[in-house]
Amino acid sequence: NAQGLMAASDQGAQGCFYCNTATERVPEDQVSRTIFGAHIDRFQRIVESALQNAVSEGDLSSEISCRDQSVLIITTFQGMSVLARARVDPDLILAATRAMNENLDRMTLLPK
């Protein structure tokens, strides 16, 4: 997965703007907290909508909770950004990427 490889790279260790804002400014700054909260809400809605579309098209199981899975995906993505910024062992980030892919594979319906 390209995102996992990016997060494990030196460039990924810089973190993203939102991740940096969340960890450095959000605890003390209401404006940053509001902006970050809006980003997370928008990110979650986009992922949830994509999952709902995939369910509607028969690509994903209708038994999944699109909301819960979208929250898991964005939480994993943000956590990977924090781990990259902290310069943890890149294998941890790649393992998270593999686990997320396995989770998505389990939700995917086999072609008919």
Side-chain angles (χ1 to χ4, degrees):
N1 177 300
Q3 181 59 38
L5 293 173
M6 173 64 178
S9 72
D10 285 338
Q11 185 179 2
Q14 296 170 10
C16 73
F17 173 74
Y18 287 112
C19 176
N20 293 344
T21 299
T23 57
E24 296 171 10
R25 297 191 52 106
V26 165
E28 295 88 24
D29 181 43
Q30 179 60 45
V31 172
S32 295
R33 190 173 17 260
T34 299
I35 292 168
F36 183 73
H39 162 70
I40 290 298
D41 288 345
R42 185 173 52 253
F43 190 11
Q44 184 273 320
R45 284 192 315 270
I46 289 168
V47 173
E48 182 176 2
S49 178
L51 293 173
Q52 288 169 339
N53 289 341
V55 168
S56 294
E57 293 181 16
D59 294 329
L60 292 180
S61 170
S62 61
E63 295 184 16
I64 70 165
S65 166
C66 292
R67 182 180 191 301
D68 290 354
Q69 290 298 324
S70 67
V71 170
L72 176 62
I73 290 167
I74 66 163
T75 301
T76 301
F77 180 83
Q78 291 300 135
M80 288 169 47
S81 295
V82 170
L83 292 175
R85 180 168 164 75
R87 295 187 181 268
V88 300
D89 183 348
D91 287 339
L92 291 176
I93 297 166
L94 294 172
T97 302
R98 286 190 303 273
M100 182 55 61
N101 285 335
E102 290 171 7
N103 183 55
L104 291 170
D105 286 345
R106 281 192 294 278
M107 293 187 294
T108 302
L109 297 175
L110 296 174
K112 296 175 181 170

